[in-house]
Amino acid sequence: MTGDRLHTEHGNERKEQLLRAAEQLFTERGYGAARISDICAAAGVAKGLFYWYFPTKESLFAELVRTMRHQLRRTQAAAMEPSADPVTRLRQGAEASVRFMAAHQTYFALLDVERLDAALAPVMREGSDVYASDVRRLIVDAQRQGLVPDGDPTFYVVGVLGAVSSFGHAHRAGRLQIPIDDLAAAVGRWVTDAVARPADAVRALTPTTGADAP
Amino acid sequence: MTGDRLHTEHGNERKEQLLRAAEQLFTERGYGAARISDICAAAGVAKGLFYWYFPTKESLFAELVRTMRHQLRRTQAAAMEPSADPVTRLRQGAEASVRFMAAHQTYFALLDVERLDAALAPVMREGSDVYASDVRRLIVDAQRQGLVPDGDPTFYVVGVLGAVSSFGHAHRAGRLQIPIDDLAAAVGRWVTDAVARPADAVRALTPTTGADAP
DNA sequence: ACCGGCCCTGACCGATGGGTCAATCCTGGG
DNA sequence: CCCAGGATTGACCCATCGGTCAGGGCCGGT
């Protein structure tokens, strides 16, 4: 909690080295499955050295997360024109976030559920594609009937499932204190509007050019 | 993988008992932190018995998740009128999902990141409210200027953050194969539209009537 | 009564891996 | 040249926990 240990320049490099190795392994195997000894091995140092730079495994993780958030924050701030109206700023912030996340996939992957406990990942993933394909069917149907503008259906699928799960999560966490009937209705409208409306928003999206995903 | 062991009626009750105890503890302490011995203690049985009903800790978890998903699926199906148009069905499915998740908070909490590794939860949560309050400020400003319809700002906040993170996640996972510039633009529009448009969608939302959540 | 197969117990095992430590190396300043 | 203290090592410690097992009770059928 108090001032961190004082390191020489070389020391800081080492620390950075460990951070990068950890980031890599956390992303590949998940936080739990990445052993400290692995991290050290990957960084080419002995296990004991880890504790010269970090008091605990969690603290390293925390440092990664904080760095990431801090950078994102600055990027967002930089992307928003101070003179613009709030909604524009919102849009700029959102765009910047998406770009930033894409540019730092490795970092952000750390936060994905799948990466936290590698063993549980399959269980949780299994079956979640069922919803996806259900929704996809509906979307495609709707597009065929002209109810939903053309564009990569996957985009809409992600949007719809994401909305439902986000609102659900927020409500469950007590962050969204709204009578359930109202919430359900609001989410329903939100989804409908989002899907049926933004006529040309997704217009020019490269429509998933066939086989190239794993 | 083959046929599960055959249980008497009493056996099934016991199993159900263990499932409920586990559900409870996973929700409270997180999957990792809930020890099998705890679960057994909570159910009032000896640890050895656990393995009479479940081959492993993960398998119990898997069973919980599957049950939950199965029920949700049926509920969704029941909520969608077969004769309705796709968009309506989409809306009905979304509403049903939100309601279902609310009615089974305990179950769904299992899937929340925070519950998987209790130790990491604080690290990940810390600072995430910063974004929320940023976005909130923008929303409130926009509402003041009439750019965004009135209604609980939190609802919009959740929607915006949820969208950004969902699309980000999908892209990162390779589920959304779209050039990043297009994606950023699309998400920007998606957010803007969602926030600025649904004039009366959130109209009658009880604006956070203070204290009534646990 | 006897048997078989559910059901239940709690001590025990074994691996795993985070964390410690005494000893050593290395480097720069005096 | 020598000392201080950062940097580094790898063997070691040990609490933890999922999983095992040998044994024993309960109950219904014959």
Side-chain angles (χ1 to χ4, degrees):
Chain A
M1 275 299 148
T2 57
D4 298 354
R5 214 189 288 270
L6 204 55
H7 298 298
T8 70
E9 182 157 355
H10 175 246
N12 286 325
E13 280 169 23
R14 253 299 134 72
K15 188 172 177 181
E16 198 58 36
Q17 222 173 98
L18 283 168
L19 282 168
R20 275 195 293 266
E23 175 199 339
Q24 177 76 15
L25 287 176
F26 286 165
T27 308
E28 284 174 8
R29 315 184 189 174
Y31 175 83
R35 312 291 152 203
I36 289 192
S37 52
D38 296 339
I39 297 174
C40 292
V45 297
K47 187 175 152 194
L49 191 56
F50 183 95
Y51 294 92
W52 179 259
Y53 294 103
F54 304 95
T56 152
K57 191 186 181 186
E58 274 175 34
S59 77
L60 184 154
F61 181 79
E63 191 155 332
L64 279 177
V65 173
R66 276 194 213 101
T67 307
M68 171 183 81
R69 275 217 250 262
H70 186 237
Q71 284 183 280
L72 171 59
R73 200 94 202 298
R74 287 177 41 127
T75 305
Q76 286 173 329
M80 299 191 286
E81 310 175 58
S83 59
D85 66 291
V87 173
T88 301
R89 285 165 61 80
L90 217 43
R91 201 200 68 234
Q92 292 169 332
E95 288 188 13
S97 302
V98 170
R99 280 215 181 74
F100 186 86
M101 288 168 114
H104 299 79
Q105 300 196 8
T106 346
Y107 269 128
F108 280 89
L110 295 183
L111 304 187
D112 294 344
V113 206
E114 312 94 270
R115 303 294 152 86
L116 282 182
D117 191 319
L120 262 35
V123 181
M124 307 189 58
R125 188 180 292 281
E126 144 200 335
S128 74
D129 24 339
V130 179
Y131 302 134
S133 62
D134 275 2
V135 173
R136 186 187 198 79
R137 224 184 324 276
L138 289 172
I139 294 285
V140 173
D141 275 7
Q143 287 181 323
R144 225 175 263 139
Q145 298 181 29
L147 297 171
V148 165
D150 286 342
D152 188 347
T154 308
F155 183 85
Y156 293 111
V157 172
V158 171
V160 170
L161 291 181
V164 170
S165 103
S166 300
F167 286 115
H169 183 271
H171 180 259
R172 186 185 322 142
R175 238 179 311 138
L176 209 46
Q177 316 239 355
I178 290 178
I180 188 60
D181 285 328
D182 294 355
L183 181 64
V187 173
R189 300 275 310 237
W190 174 285
V191 164
T192 310
D193 285 354
V195 145
R197 207 65 74 69
D200 52 327
V202 202
R203 65 184 183 292
L205 292 186
T206 330
T208 312
T209 34
D212 90 305
Chain B
M1 275 300 147
T2 59
D4 296 353
R5 213 189 289 268
L6 204 56
H7 298 298
T8 70
E9 184 157 354
H10 176 245
N12 286 325
E13 280 169 24
R14 254 298 133 74
K15 189 174 177 181
E16 198 57 38
Q17 222 173 93
L18 283 168
L19 283 167
R20 276 195 291 267
E23 176 199 338
Q24 178 76 16
L25 287 176
F26 286 164
T27 309
E28 283 174 9
R29 314 184 189 172
Y31 175 83
R35 312 295 150 201
I36 290 192
S37 54
D38 297 339
I39 297 175
C40 292
V45 298
K47 187 175 154 195
L49 191 56
F50 183 94
Y51 295 92
W52 180 258
Y53 294 103
F54 305 95
T56 152
K57 190 186 181 187
E58 274 175 36
S59 77
L60 183 155
F61 181 78
E63 190 156 334
L64 279 177
V65 172
R66 277 196 212 102
T67 308
M68 171 183 82
R69 275 216 251 263
H70 187 238
Q71 284 185 281
L72 171 58
R73 199 95 202 296
R74 288 176 41 125
T75 305
Q76 286 172 330
M80 299 190 286
E81 311 175 58
S83 59
D85 66 292
V87 173
T88 301
R89 284 164 61 80
L90 219 43
R91 201 200 67 232
Q92 292 168 331
E95 288 188 15
S97 303
V98 170
R99 279 215 181 75
F100 186 85
M101 288 168 113
H104 300 79
Q105 301 197 8
T106 345
Y107 269 128
F108 280 89
L110 295 183
L111 304 187
D112 294 343
V113 206
E114 312 94 89
R115 303 296 153 86
L116 282 181
D117 190 320
L120 264 35
V123 180
M124 307 190 58
R125 189 180 292 281
E126 144 199 334
S128 74
D129 24 339
V130 180
Y131 302 135
S133 63
D134 275 2
V135 173
R136 189 187 196 78
R137 224 185 323 277
L138 288 172
I139 294 285
V140 173
D141 275 7
Q143 287 181 323
R144 226 176 262 138
Q145 297 180 32
L147 298 172
V148 165
D150 287 341
D152 188 345
T154 307
F155 182 85
Y156 294 110
V157 172
V158 171
V160 169
L161 292 181
V164 170
S165 102
S166 299
F167 286 114
H169 183 270
H171 180 260
R172 185 185 322 141
R175 238 180 309 140
L176 209 46
Q177 313 238 357
I178 289 178
I180 186 61
D181 284 328
D182 294 355
L183 180 64
V187 172
R189 300 274 313 236
W190 174 284
V191 164
T192 310
D193 284 355
V195 144
R197 208 63 77 68
D200 50 327
V202 202
R203 64 184 186 289
L205 292 186
T206 330
T208 314
T209 33
D212 89 306

